[in-house]
Amino acid sequence: MRKEYKRRKKIVKSTVERHRLLISRSNKTVYGQLIDDINNKTIITVSGLSKDIIDACKNADSKIEASTLIGKRLAEKAVAMNITKVLFDRNGYIYHGRVKAFADGARDGGLE
C-alpha cells in the first residue's frame, strides 16, 4: 500500500469542540477550509483568490509569504466566529514550505 493511502486512513475527524482546518495547494495559491465533520458543513473558506485578500497576495514577495497571509485571514474569520481550537489536516502534504507557512499564519492569527 502506498504511503499516502496509509496516511489518509489516519485522518482525524472534528469533534464538538474542535473543527478541522484543511489545507489544499496548487501551483499558484493555497486554499484553507474550516470544516465541521459532525454536520458535514464547510464553515469558512479562504484562498489566495478570495476577494478580501487577493491584492495582498499579489503584492506578496513569495508564495510562502502569501500562504502566511491566507492563514492569518482564515484565523481572523474563525476568531470572529468564536472558534479558537482546530485540528490541522495537512491533506497528505509534507509539513514544510507553504503548508508550514499557512499553519504558522493561522497560529499567529489566534488559532490553537
Side-chain angles (χ1 to χ4, degrees):
M1 200 176 231
R2 291 174 34 192
K3 285 185 181 180
E4 61 263 14
Y5 295 128
K6 287 183 181 180
R7 195 176 301 133
R8 294 303 293 171
K9 283 172 139 181
K10 297 179 185 179
I11 287 184
V12 179
K13 298 289 184 187
S14 66
T15 60
V16 174
E17 62 272 352
R18 288 181 182 250
H19 298 292
R20 183 166 50 112
L21 176 60
L22 176 76
I23 182 172
S24 301
R25 64 185 173 105
S26 67
N27 288 337
K28 293 186 178 185
T29 190
V30 172
Y31 304 88
Q33 295 179 346
L34 200 60
I35 300 172
D36 180 7
D37 286 322
I38 294 171
N39 297 320
N40 295 325
K41 292 191 178 194
T42 301
I43 301 168
I44 301 170
T45 302
V46 177
S47 72
L49 304 174
S50 300
K51 291 181 181 180
D52 55 347
I53 198 168
I54 192 166
D55 293 330
C57 288
K58 284 185 179 179
N59 294 333
D61 293 334
S62 65
K63 292 179 187 177
I64 291 177
E65 188 177 319
S67 298
T68 304
L69 294 172
I70 294 166
K72 283 182 184 178
R73 181 65 186 140
L74 188 132
E76 289 170 4
K77 285 185 173 185
V79 169
M81 295 179 72
N82 295 326
I83 299 171
T84 56
K85 293 185 178 185
V86 296
L87 297 171
F88 187 66
D89 181 4
R90 55 188 172 83
N91 205 7
Y93 298 116
I94 297 171
Y95 188 76
H96 164 332
R98 291 190 286 162
V99 175
K100 183 180 180 204
F102 177 84
D104 291 340
R107 272 190 221 103
D108 291 344
L111 292 180
E112 291 181 27

